[in-house]
Structure formats: structure tokens, C-alpha cells
Amino acid sequence: MTIPSNILTLLAGVAITLVSLWYGQNHGLLPVAASSEATQVDNLFNLMMTIATALFLLIQGVLIFSAFKFRRQAGDLTDGPAFEDNIPLEIVWTAIPAVIVFILAVYSFEIYNAMGGLDPVNSRDPGPTVTAIAEPNTLVAFNPDGELALGIGVSPEDPAQQALAPLEVNVQGLQYAWIFTYPDTGIVTGDMHIPANRPVELNISAADVLHAFWLPEFRLKQDAIPGRVTKLVFTATRLGEYPIVCAELCGAYHGAMKSQLYVQTLEDYQQWQQENSPEQAENTEEIALNPAELSPGQFLAPYAAEAGISAKTLEAIP
Ligand SMILES: [Cu+2]
């Protein structure tokens, strides 16, 4: 076995390297990166894409080249030469993938740690914590003795996440919706609103079966597990509206289990908070009225006006 070592091989190697490096940064496969965590995950993905592109071009290139270069000549009906093993070649093609896998393993572990994956329990206050999930969820003990906590915690490398108190949001998955409860204001909502550049801490739970809380633009995904709380701590860095997707087949309408995450400026977020806080709603809206306390006439009044029935007619109702 001779290894071709002419100038063309060298040029091909340089071309493959350059194309791979370019494509690794310009594959366009990922949605926008909307969190500080997303950039780190993308760096890892881009590196894997660069390596994969180089391998693809190398292997397919040699395959196609060989298919033409060493094809059967007209009239040649003899067998091809028989090859036994080639120890140096086998060592090389085992060592190269081993090194690549080792580098990727160390690098991805680094990123997982930098994101806070090794310490999903509150790094700020160590020790067992009990998280009360607001109504209508039940109280769930978090991190009971010795149980491994699940999720992504505070990033050990993000000073902002350690300094700023995170905005806590309780996330509950149920067939087939996400419900978001804000313990600080009591807001309960079907779509999530958060301010940009402030750490957010999600306490994720499930009411019935396994769900998975997935934010594609944030490169974050966490199982929602019945009976225990999982964590996601992250910081949104980009304003906008992003999909929230259930990524665990959870039943017949799993495909429709979607919601929206709105990353807002602090002003917009506070305005949303004011407009949606329960106290506000009680003062201005009639939705808090208990129908059982109304007489039939009072209860029907809004509908009667719509239907053109006079108040006198209503009073006649026993
Ligand atoms: Cu689901």
C-alpha cells in the first residue's frame, strides 16, 4: 500500500480543511441563538459540523475518486489483488476517531459544566430545598436526601447569574399545555413572559405524564417529570417571541403542545406584569365575580342586553 504524496493530495487536503472550516460556521442549520447558553452549545455543534464535513468530503472524495481511477478495464476479467490486514493503517484509523471522540467528550463536558449542568440545585443556597409550587399544583419536595437533582443550574462562569436574583417561574406540563405560574406576582398564564438579561429559574413539573420543556432558540431542553421538580436556569439575551415545544411524545395531541416565550425589555415586562397581576384583574374586570352570588336577573343581564330582552322581562324570571 502506497500513500500518494504528491502536490495534488496536499492541495486536496488544504481545500477540504478550508471548506470544512467555512461550512462549520455557515451551515445555517440552527435557529437564532437567544441565550448566553446557546452560544456555547453552538460552538460545540459547529466544531462537530466542521469535523463531520471534513470526514464526509475525505471519505466520499476517496470513494468517488477510487471508483473512477481503479475501475475495471475493458476486457480485464481477472480478480483484483487480495489484501490481508494492514496494521499501521488500522492503528491510524482507530486512533484518529478515538482522539476526536475524546476531544468532543471533554469539550462538551466543559460546556455542560459552564452552563450549570453539574449543579442544578440552587448554587446560591446549598442544602436541601423545598419548592412550593403555587396552586393548582401540589407541593413537591425537591432534592430529598441523596436524590440527584435534574436540570441546568446557575452557571459557575456567569457572574450575572450569580449576582442577580433570578426570576422564578413554575412551569407545569399537562396533556396538552404548558401552564406558567409566577410566584412573585401570582400570575398564571399559558404563555411565558420574561425580561431580557435577567437570570430566569424554571421549576418544571408535570401533572400527568412525562413531557419535555424545549426552547430550541435557547438550546435548552428539560424533562418534566410527574412527582418531582427539575430545574432550568438561563439568561435570555435577545428580545423576541420564541416557540416553546413539548419534546416528549405525551399522548394523542402531543404535536399541538406548543406555547410562546416572549423575551421583553424590562419596561415591557413590567407593563405585562401590571396588566396581568391577579389584584389588577379583580379591580378592573368582572371575571372575578362569583356567579353563584348573583340573582338570575343579574347573571343574565349582559346576555339579555345582547339578545334585546328588556330588564323588565328579566325581573319576571322567578
Ligand atoms: Cu407534552
Side-chain angles (χ1 to χ4, degrees):
M1 163 105 195
T2 56
I3 297 170
S5 58
N6 54 34
I7 191 79
L8 280 177
T9 316
L10 180 71
L11 286 178
V14 171
I16 287 178
T17 308
L18 290 177
V19 169
S20 306
L21 285 172
W22 179 84
Y23 190 69
Q25 303 295 322
N26 295 279
H27 48 74
L29 292 172
L30 295 169
V32 291
S35 69
S36 44
E37 290 77 8
T39 320
Q40 305 181 60
V41 175
D42 289 4
N43 289 342
L44 173 65
F45 185 85
N46 291 349
L47 174 66
M48 293 197 287
M49 203 64 201
T50 306
I51 296 170
T53 306
L55 284 175
F56 177 80
L57 292 177
L58 180 71
I59 292 165
Q60 296 302 315
V62 170
L63 196 67
I64 293 168
F65 173 80
S66 304
F68 283 97
K69 171 88 176 167
F70 306 111
R71 71 184 185 279
R72 185 177 69 86
Q73 302 300 309
D76 180 5
L77 294 173
T78 57
D79 286 345
F83 288 102
E84 293 274 309
D85 42 0
N86 184 327
I87 300 290
L89 189 62
E90 283 166 19
I91 289 175
V92 166
W93 77 36
T94 306
I96 291 176
V99 169
I100 290 175
V101 168
F102 184 73
I103 291 172
L104 290 179
V106 172
Y107 186 28
S108 53
F109 188 80
E110 261 309 297
I111 289 178
Y112 188 59
N113 184 27
M115 288 169 70
L118 294 184
D119 191 13
V121 198
N122 296 331
S123 312
R124 270 167 260 95
D125 48 324
T129 47
V130 172
T131 306
I133 306 288
E135 293 290 319
N137 309 7
T138 44
L139 188 82
V140 182
F142 179 63
N143 194 26
D145 304 307
E147 193 179 0
L148 195 67
L150 296 172
I152 299 285
V154 174
S155 165
E157 291 176 13
D158 187 340
Q161 274 192 10
Q162 289 163 27
L164 283 172
L167 169 70
E168 257 193 86
V169 186
N170 297 333
V171 179
Q172 193 184 39
L174 68 161
Q175 290 169 320
Y176 297 93
W178 295 105
I179 295 177
F180 305 95
T181 310
Y182 292 72
D184 56 342
T185 52
I187 295 177
V188 180
T189 171
D191 45 21
M192 194 171 143
H193 293 248
I194 58 170
N197 301 320
R198 181 180 165 188
V200 177
E201 179 171 352
L202 305 182
N203 304 310
I204 303 170
S205 63
D208 34 38
V209 297
L210 276 180
H211 302 273
F213 184 82
W214 182 31
L215 296 171
E217 277 76 6
F218 293 69
R219 317 287 189 265
L220 289 171
K221 185 160 72 174
Q222 181 57 54
D223 281 353
I225 305 168
R228 68 180 295 184
V229 174
T230 52
K231 292 260 172 188
L232 269 187
V233 180
F234 63 95
T235 310
T237 52
R238 191 176 178 280
L239 299 177
E241 185 186 332
Y242 305 99
I244 299 172
V245 185
C246 178
E248 188 81 60
L249 181 59
C250 59
Y253 298 99
H254 158 73
M257 190 166 163
K258 293 190 172 81
S259 183
Q260 294 293 320
L261 168 60
Y262 297 90
V263 180
Q264 300 173 304
T265 60
L266 190 59
E267 295 77 51
D268 287 353
Y269 172 73
Q270 282 167 344
Q271 195 190 342
W272 171 83
Q273 232 181 3
Q274 269 173 11
E275 283 166 4
N276 289 274
S277 76
E279 304 91 65
Q280 194 75 15
E282 266 166 41
N283 294 339
T284 55
E285 304 277 341
E286 286 180 13
I287 52 165
L289 286 181
N290 183 353
E293 291 167 4
L294 300 175
S295 74
Q298 282 172 319
F299 180 73
L300 289 172
Y303 310 101
E306 262 173 47
I309 300 167
S310 76
K312 282 239 154 108
T313 318
L314 282 179
E315 278 167 27
I317 297 173

